[in-house]
Amino acid sequence: MVKILKLTTALAAVAFVAACDNDVERALGGAAAGAVIGEATGNDIGTSAAAGALAGVFCDDAGVCN
């Protein structure tokens, strides 16, 4: 049940990232989502947060967060 709650929170954070206006906001939201996903899946939280931050910064450049 806890993992489902964490993954639901991560999905909500991803939706928040898509609504952000600039790269800094998307990076912070991506880092938060990455940390939650890393915790829920048993992976390193720091690495997951860094990957989430990078994904947040570049999601608009890739056409995902337009």
Side-chain angles (χ1 to χ4, degrees):
M1 181 67 182
V2 174
K3 283 188 178 184
I4 292 172
L5 181 60
K6 288 181 180 180
L7 289 174
T8 303
T9 304
L11 289 174
V14 169
F16 169 76
V17 170
C20 294
D21 292 330
N22 60 42
D23 286 343
V24 174
E25 291 174 350
R26 284 189 294 273
L28 291 174
V36 171
I37 292 170
E39 173 69 25
T41 59
N43 292 313
D44 182 51
I45 297 171
T47 304
S48 299
L54 286 173
V57 168
F58 294 113
C59 73
D60 66 328
D61 297 332
V64 178
C65 298
N66 291 340

